[in-house]
Amino acid sequence: MAEITYRLDQRRKVLGEFPGPKSVALTRRRQSVVAAGVASSVPVYVADADGGIITDVDGNSFIDLGSGIAVTSVGASDPAVAGAVKEQVEHFTHTCFMVTPYESYIAVAEELNQLTPGDHEKRTVLFNSGAEAVENAVKVARLATGRDAIVAFDHAYHGRTNLTMALTAKAMPYKTNFGPFAPEIYRVPMSYPYREETEIKGEEAARRAITMMEKQIGADSIAAILIEPIQGEGGFIVPADGFLPTLAAWAKDKGVVFIADEVQSGFCRTGEWFAVQHEGVVPDIITMAKGIAGGLPLSAVTGRAELMDAVHPGGLGGTYGGNPVACVAALAAIGSMREYDLAGRAQNIERIVRGTLESLQEQLGDSGIIGEVRGRGAMLAVELVMPGTAHTTKEPNPDATKAIAAACLAEGVVILTCGTYGNVVRLLPPLVIGDELLQDGLDVLAAAIRDANSAPR
Ligand SMILES: *Cc1c(COP(=O)(O)O)cnc(C)c1O
């Protein structure tokens, strides 16, 4: 396994004034020109990023525990990605695969057909964003089955376009006042082990969803079940063991296409190439984006050949889909994932993170604000609740969550939050982050959680 090297000093550094004057000036400049609807969680502006570090325009260095939302798994300036991109842009930046095609698109399809679970014949089509991949997976499933209904789950997140807003569960900020939404989308209950009324096995939770599908929609009307194997924006919810396999088996039996949305969980993030592999599930179609290309915009839909090839020539595509610069970046990023065994590194990150956060949970005890530490690999989260409710009402604690993220940032650690109730701190470090830097970031997080836990209320 190759040794990971870094260009930037892998150390956290926050200067006295925060945010610094240059970032403050940029915020002011931005306010008069950038649409208010696009919000940034961190009030500093980036100068450089490498490995586990992001530097800003005022000379601060932050530990990156977000990877730009699970994108820069190989780092934000992986030498292999940077080299491939430089080489490509000096030749051609775009010709449009639908007009004059090129080899790198085919090479990405070969890689994805090989890497995704299942040894059946597969086909791949490339796009730009996760939402676009999900939209196209739905197009394929509807055309191939001749059915209309699409089933999505509570807490799901699938994007911000019209169809994917309909598929997404959370109203604010994603859907509120943006309707009307696309029709023929149905929502069924997820398996959310921490928040079940009484403990329920994965298979029973799947049966609950299946009964709803059969009684309220009718299996014969359902084109596809669309599910994140580990939910991302919804709160890093890992369904109970058996939930996914039971749904997949039912779908197979009923001729329903099983689509795994691995836009956030794919590409070594959870300690496997894809999260469905933890439970041996083989999806009919898999959607990918985020970690796929080392930060370049690329997404993919890979699926059974007979489903994908059911679509007439010209039925799928887009001007930029499978852009050649993004394709060579993907090939390089996938190469780096292999070279540095990033799936193995994700497992190592899980050991380190759990070591810190689970012992903190134990120290804070049953009356503490940590409800649950969960996740897989380097997709880990802490769900925060009101003091004393961790095992009773589990009342969400979004205020503590916000305070913790803000405290981390002030100490030089970028941390993201998520969850239907806004009460989940999520950790998505670049998989190339060094152990020491990660531990430093976790110590900052642990101190912030401790402070929030003992804050007067
Ligand atoms: C981020 C995300 C999407 C949407 O991807 P975009 O590239 O932002 O359009 C879809 N599904 C999941 C699971 C995601 O995490």
Side-chain angles (χ1 to χ4, degrees):
M1 196 183 87
E3 179 97 21
I4 297 165
T5 57
Y6 305 104
R7 185 171 50 79
L8 295 181
D9 190 18
Q10 298 291 296
R11 235 177 332 183
R12 167 172 69 96
K13 182 178 81 180
V14 187
L15 304 168
E17 206 180 342
F18 176 85
K22 288 182 179 157
S23 281
V24 171
L26 282 168
T27 297
R28 217 172 300 121
R29 190 169 143 202
R30 162 193 183 142
Q31 280 161 351
S32 58
V33 289
V34 177
V38 52
S40 304
S41 38
V42 173
V44 303
Y45 289 79
V46 177
D48 205 345
D50 174 52
I53 287 288
I54 298 173
T55 68
D56 78 359
V57 289
D58 293 292
N60 297 299
S61 296
F62 299 89
I63 300 177
D64 180 11
L65 297 184
S67 300
I69 320 187
V71 170
T72 53
S73 296
V74 297
S77 52
D78 176 36
V81 171
V85 165
K86 274 184 218 157
E87 171 76 20
Q88 181 60 43
V89 293
E90 283 172 4
H91 291 281
F92 58 99
T93 56
H94 174 87
T95 59
C96 188
F97 194 75
M98 300 187 304
V99 181
T100 40
Y102 37 88
E103 182 183 355
S104 55
Y105 190 116
I106 301 169
V108 171
E110 286 167 345
E111 279 280 23
L112 299 184
N113 293 358
Q114 188 67 43
L115 283 173
T116 50
D119 47 19
H120 51 275
E121 184 82 9
K122 295 173 201 155
R123 298 287 184 269
T124 288
V125 55
L126 303 178
F127 302 98
N128 306 289
S129 69
E132 215 185 339
V134 172
E135 293 243 0
N136 280 280
V138 168
K139 279 169 66 172
V140 169
R142 282 180 168 156
L143 183 144
T145 59
R147 303 172 180 179
D148 292 337
I150 304 293
V151 173
F153 288 78
D154 285 335
H155 313 289
Y157 182 84
H158 297 291
R160 294 170 177 270
T161 57
N162 186 261
L163 175 58
T164 59
M165 273 194 293
L167 293 162
T168 290
K170 194 173 177 178
M172 197 62 189
Y174 307 122
K175 303 170 74 165
T176 302
N177 296 341
F178 289 137
F181 302 111
E184 285 306 305
I185 306 294
Y186 299 85
R187 196 168 305 286
V188 299
M190 181 62 186
S191 163
Y192 188 164
Y194 181 61
R195 291 196 173 272
E196 297 286 359
E197 299 269 318
T198 54
E199 201 174 308
I200 142 169
K201 289 196 164 53
E203 196 183 323
E204 292 169 68
R207 290 280 148 219
R208 179 175 62 191
I210 287 166
T211 302
M212 198 177 268
M213 288 190 269
E214 289 182 338
K215 299 303 167 201
Q216 298 187 11
I217 315 164
D220 292 350
S221 301
I222 303 176
I225 293 178
L226 170 66
I227 189 163
E228 300 156 84
I230 297 179
Q231 288 184 321
E233 306 303 302
F236 280 28
I237 300 163
V238 185
D241 282 353
F243 183 72
L244 296 171
T246 305
L247 285 176
W250 179 82
K252 187 168 189 206
D253 186 47
K254 301 294 179 188
V256 172
V257 178
F258 186 90
I259 305 172
D261 183 353
E262 293 247 18
V263 165
Q264 189 154 166
S265 56
F267 293 97
C268 302
R269 176 53 57 186
T270 67
E272 295 277 0
W273 279 97
F274 296 97
V276 284
Q277 291 172 288
H278 294 283
E279 287 211 72
V281 168
V282 176
D284 298 310
I285 294 181
I286 179 162
T287 56
M288 296 158 269
K290 293 197 167 99
I292 192 174
L296 276 284
L298 185 74
S299 68
V301 180
T302 297
R304 291 186 184 277
E306 63 272 24
L307 298 174
M308 302 295 289
D309 284 347
V311 180
H312 47 275
L316 303 174
T319 306
Y320 295 109
N323 168 273
V325 183
C327 282
V328 298
L331 295 171
I334 291 167
S336 291
M337 288 175 205
R338 283 203 188 91
E339 190 178 347
Y340 301 124
D341 181 24
L342 293 190
R345 285 208 52 83
Q347 293 164 13
N348 180 57
I349 288 170
E350 175 168 4
R351 281 189 289 276
I352 295 173
V353 172
R354 283 191 183 275
T356 299
L357 295 180
E358 285 174 354
S359 74
L360 176 65
Q361 180 181 23
E362 218 174 276
Q363 287 161 32
L364 300 186
D366 289 354
S367 61
I369 61 172
I370 296 184
E372 188 176 51
V373 177
R374 63 168 173 259
R376 277 190 164 125
M379 185 170 182
L380 296 162
V382 189
E383 176 157 356
L384 297 151
V385 294
M386 297 305 287
T389 71
H391 300 289
T392 56
T393 56
K394 301 168 184 175
E395 197 186 328
N397 196 339
D399 291 338
T401 309
K402 275 189 218 93
I404 290 163
C408 287
L409 185 64
E411 292 294 321
V413 180
V414 173
I415 265 177
L416 306 174
T417 62
C418 65
T420 295
Y421 314 105
N423 67 326
V424 177
V425 164
R426 59 169 152 175
L427 304 177
L428 290 165
L431 304 180
V432 294
I433 194 171
D435 292 357
E436 253 174 70
L437 190 68
L438 175 63
Q439 189 60 58
D440 183 28
L442 290 171
D443 291 344
V444 169
L445 171 62
I449 294 175
R450 233 181 251 287
D451 284 352
N453 189 70
S454 56
R457 42 190 165 250

